[in-house]
Amino acid sequence: MLNMSRRDFVVTTGLAAAFGLNARLVVPAFAQKTPDPPKGFVNYKVGSVDVTALYDGIWEKPQDPAFIKNASVDETKDALAKAGLPTDFVSIPLTVVVLKLGDRYVMVDSGSGGGQWQPTAGKTMTNMKAAGIDPSKINTILISHFHPDHIFGLMEKGTNQPVFPNAELVVTANEYKWWTEPGRVEKLPEARKGLGQRIQTVFPTWKNFKLIEGDKEVAPGVQLINAPGHTPGHAAFLVGSGNQQLMISNDTAYVPGLLAPHPEWQGAYDQDGPLAVETRRKLLDRVIADKMMVCGAHFPFPGAGAFTKDGSGYAFKPVQS
Ligand SMILES: [Zn+2]
């Protein structure tokens, strides 16, 4: 379909019309409406720490009444419009950050792996190389949680071979134990069973996991902050250097265009909705009180910005790339 000639296109759309189909139906499902950023990596500093934001891609999620448990599609569209985003789909971009701490490279999550999550994502490795970072030099990968967009980049497509065999993988003990406990796959909802099966097949065979209990330092100047709700062991990471701090919030505030003005919204992606709301408010109140810069996996690329209080919710101001 992608290489079809103009004549083929006319014939195809003609056929579609003959069957009463909208011609748009013949456009490949992965045709992307949002342009990729002109440059797939952005560098910034937190004190003496070099941060590189790598663009993984975007999921242009079709509108779905089940997406937010306590908001309608119309309310979702209204929030998207107010954030200046398209309303015919939900923009869920994905950014991975790499920290350079002295001579150590610490990556947060792995990206979604080429063709393993969405066909319009999986560009982390390409953009890492473009940023001049050698993937074999990554010393540590801090994993926020075990959803596909955050861990599939750890595993080769098809073979599940480790992409970063020499890196130390750091995750909360809660997250690791929850997903790998016997009988878990059977208890997962149908849509998550494949993910659970892959985790249980692969991760227990890898020996480079370090499991963390409580809020601990996991790399020099980087503290793991337990932020449960999105998943049972979801974590944020707090980077401090000099008098600057960056809260790597991962999926705590998910898409801020939706959840900054409506922190009480419970997404279908939040495994424990009420706990996710409580954690979100706690984390955002903390970053505002301490005047921190914040980045998030699904914030608009390059994924960093600041929050302020706004009535009973929050306002998000992204940095410009
Ligand atoms: Zn995510």
Side-chain angles (χ1 to χ4, degrees):
M1 291 291 284
L2 276 179
N3 296 321
M4 66 192 175
S5 68
R6 186 177 162 78
R7 183 170 171 275
D8 290 338
F9 181 72
V10 171
V11 170
T12 311
T13 51
L15 276 174
F19 285 101
L21 299 171
N22 184 322
R24 285 183 58 194
L25 291 178
V26 301
V27 172
F30 49 86
Q32 185 180 321
K33 294 174 185 162
T34 312
D36 280 348
K39 201 170 85 171
F41 65 92
V42 168
N43 300 104
Y44 56 96
K45 283 246 185 198
V46 177
S48 63
V49 177
D50 291 307
V51 184
T52 305
L54 305 173
Y55 185 68
D56 187 83
I58 188 165
W59 180 20
E60 296 177 335
K61 188 183 188 308
Q63 293 286 2
D64 169 8
F67 180 53
I68 309 275
K69 284 175 206 155
N70 48 347
S72 67
V73 168
D74 282 346
E75 288 169 317
T76 306
K77 285 184 174 179
D78 186 51
L80 291 170
K82 284 183 178 145
L85 293 164
T87 58
D88 50 338
F89 54 84
V90 182
S91 299
I92 306 180
L94 180 61
T95 299
V96 171
V97 295
V98 178
L99 311 172
K100 186 148 189 292
L101 303 164
D103 57 357
R104 293 175 59 81
Y105 284 98
V106 175
M107 182 160 77
V108 179
D109 292 333
S110 64
S112 62
Q116 299 190 65
W117 177 54
Q118 301 298 324
T120 47
K123 298 163 186 158
T124 290
M125 293 301 263
T126 304
N127 287 328
M128 184 185 290
K129 286 169 196 163
I133 300 170
D134 177 351
S136 71
K137 299 266 165 54
I138 301 286
N139 303 94
T140 302
I141 303 176
L142 307 177
I143 301 173
S144 65
H145 65 295
F146 281 177
H147 280 170
D149 44 328
H150 300 261
I151 57 165
F152 278 3
L154 296 172
M155 302 173 250
E156 296 285 1
K157 192 178 177 183
T159 64
N160 287 334
Q161 285 302 304
V163 173
F164 303 93
N166 302 318
E168 174 188 55
L169 307 177
V170 175
V171 70
T172 65
N174 285 345
E175 187 74 359
Y176 188 91
K177 286 177 184 161
W178 192 87
W179 286 97
T180 56
E181 84 177 6
R184 171 60 58 204
V185 176
E186 292 71 24
K187 286 187 246 171
L188 287 170
E190 210 52 47
R192 290 280 190 214
K193 284 192 194 306
L195 170 65
Q197 192 62 59
R198 193 174 189 198
I199 290 169
Q200 295 212 343
T201 304
V202 176
F203 287 169
T205 69
W206 290 1
K207 304 296 173 216
N208 50 344
F209 272 107
K210 185 173 174 187
L211 305 184
I212 306 294
E213 312 245 15
D215 291 357
K216 297 246 169 67
E217 188 173 70
V218 286
V222 183
Q223 189 188 18
L224 182 150
I225 309 285
N226 278 271
H230 182 71
T231 63
H234 179 271
F237 302 102
L238 175 59
V239 182
S241 177
N243 60 1
Q244 290 194 308
Q245 289 184 302
L246 170 70
M247 181 66 83
I248 304 175
S249 65
N250 302 317
D251 281 11
T252 308
Y254 205 66
V255 172
L258 299 176
L259 297 186
H262 304 286
E264 74 286 2
W265 281 3
Q266 296 173 25
Y269 44 81
D270 287 331
Q271 291 183 212
D272 181 334
L275 182 58
V277 170
E278 187 187 320
T279 292
R280 184 176 305 130
R281 284 192 175 280
K282 200 169 136 193
L283 190 105
L284 294 181
D285 288 345
R286 179 175 176 180
V287 299
I288 292 167
D290 292 348
K291 297 186 171 57
M292 288 181 209
M293 183 155 66
V294 189
C295 67
H298 304 294
F299 290 11
F301 187 73
F307 286 85
T308 50
K309 282 270 199 193
D310 186 10
S312 61
Y314 305 90
F316 175 68
K317 193 172 186 309
V319 297
Q320 302 300 319
S321 60

